[in-house]
Amino acid sequence: MHMLRTSLLSALLAILLSGSASADILATDTCDLCIMFGGTLKEDTYPEYDHIPEEMLPKNLTCAELADIFSSAFPDGSDKMCYDAVIEFHYECCEFETSTSQCEQAVHSSLLGDDSDYSVDVVPLPLNEKQFDVGVGMDYFALTSIDIVAGTAEIFMGILMTWNDERLRWDPNEFGGCFNTLFRASLDLELTNIWVPPFDLFNRDTSLDTLPEAYGIVNSRGDVFWSRFGSVKALCFFDGLEKFPYDELTCSFTFTSTSAYPRINYNLLGNLTFFGTS
């Protein structure tokens, strides 16, 4: 999954052209391609990044050259843009003493093992915050069925939900360098390993929990990305039937929180280009 997308690339390009980072970034440890994750830089390796436009990042750079660019562009190693840039080249440019599977297993044991007090019932609301933000993106693919007599319509769609759970953060340097892992995610509390937002189709005939199960991708900053694809069926009033036979039928699919918890704030995401990418 390519994390370094257009918004980040545009910002990186602007920094490179200006020759400096934003003035409001406090310079602490610089953005290091491998050391910040406990790895050793493979200086002469040429990583593949054909998916990144050349106007955003010059082609045929070695890992050493990329490391120099990142350390100059991002004086603060804790900057999120540094993190997103580094993980794009993490596996190709860095060597680690621990395998990815060993690292991820250690992360799972630490975060959700027998000694963990993690609860899937508790909203991960940060300290002193009044609302918890969840990003929601939807992509419509096709109308799969319509039944005027039953008053239903079914569509095939994709839905992405993203949020930050600070209880799922870890320091990659302490576990062997892995920066993301998979956790079982489900609206069914008996099946999920992590908290997921209570969100569903309001006028549902079939709900989102009937979509095929999908793992949530979690990175070391606690960011969770959960995408699912499948068919959902809505109960419809079919506005327009009164104009038969010149009708143009409409059916609304209304999505909402299914919890009485008042502090979850759902924000609609923008263009979901990742639904067509690997």
Side-chain angles (χ1 to χ4, degrees):
M1 183 181 65
H2 299 311
M3 301 295 293
L4 195 61
R5 292 302 181 195
T6 303
S7 59
L8 173 61
L9 290 168
S10 298
L12 176 58
L13 179 64
I15 291 173
L16 294 176
L17 292 177
S18 66
S20 63
S22 174
D24 61 357
I25 294 178
L26 298 177
T28 54
D29 293 336
T30 58
C31 183
D32 189 282
L33 183 53
C34 295
I35 294 178
M36 63 186 297
F37 283 168
T40 303
L41 181 66
K42 297 187 286 186
E43 296 185 357
D44 297 327
T45 296
Y46 287 86
E48 295 182 7
Y49 53 97
D50 292 339
H51 58 285
I52 300 178
E54 187 169 3
E55 61 270 19
M56 298 293 183
L57 194 64
K59 297 297 184 183
N60 300 319
L61 295 177
T62 66
C63 290
E65 291 170 325
L66 287 168
D68 288 340
I69 289 177
F70 295 152
S71 62
S72 299
F74 308 116
D76 185 357
S78 64
D79 184 20
K80 186 180 185 299
M81 290 175 59
C82 161
Y83 180 89
D84 290 340
V86 164
I87 64 176
E88 179 73 16
F89 300 95
H90 176 271
Y91 288 120
E92 288 191 87
C93 287
C94 306
E95 287 183 332
F96 298 93
E97 296 182 358
T98 303
S99 69
T100 300
S101 59
Q102 290 174 321
C103 179
E104 292 187 29
Q105 183 168 327
V107 169
H108 277 243
S109 297
S110 175
L111 298 181
L112 301 180
D114 294 337
D115 296 331
S116 170
D117 58 358
Y118 187 96
S119 173
V120 299
D121 297 304
V122 177
V123 179
L125 185 69
L127 180 66
N128 297 325
E129 292 292 334
K130 294 182 179 180
Q131 284 195 320
F132 184 76
D133 290 326
V134 175
V136 180
M138 300 181 189
D139 215 349
Y140 164 82
F141 291 98
L143 175 68
T144 54
S145 71
I146 185 169
D147 189 329
I148 296 177
V149 175
T152 61
E154 185 179 61
I155 62 172
F156 187 88
M157 64 173 292
I159 179 169
L160 167 75
M161 306 191 77
T162 179
W163 64 94
N164 184 272
D165 189 337
E166 61 183 15
R167 301 171 299 176
L168 298 177
R169 295 175 182 173
W170 72 91
D171 184 352
N173 202 2
E174 295 181 359
F175 288 90
C178 56
F179 62 85
N180 63 19
T181 188
L182 301 176
F183 288 102
R184 287 200 299 269
S186 174
L187 291 170
D188 187 336
L189 296 179
E190 297 298 322
L191 298 177
T192 191
N193 286 148
I194 60 175
W195 178 88
V196 298
F199 186 81
D200 207 344
L201 180 64
F202 176 74
N203 55 322
R204 58 187 175 274
D205 184 71
T206 60
S207 63
L208 292 180
D209 62 6
T210 62
L211 297 180
E213 295 294 331
Y215 283 87
I217 302 173
V218 183
N219 66 28
S220 60
R221 298 173 69 99
D223 298 320
V224 184
F225 304 88
W226 186 35
S227 59
R228 292 164 290 161
F229 301 87
S231 296
V232 293
K233 184 182 291 186
L235 299 172
C236 306
F237 293 106
F238 287 124
D239 296 334
L241 280 175
E242 67 276 4
K243 298 178 182 179
F244 181 85
Y246 306 103
D247 51 316
E248 293 183 1
L249 301 182
T250 61
C251 175
S252 298
F253 284 68
T254 304
F255 292 86
T256 186
S257 174
T258 58
S259 170
Y261 189 81
R263 295 188 176 183
I264 303 177
N265 182 42
Y266 294 95
N267 302 301
L268 188 63
L269 299 175
N271 184 27
L272 304 183
T273 56
F274 49 81
F275 276 149
T277 64
S278 59

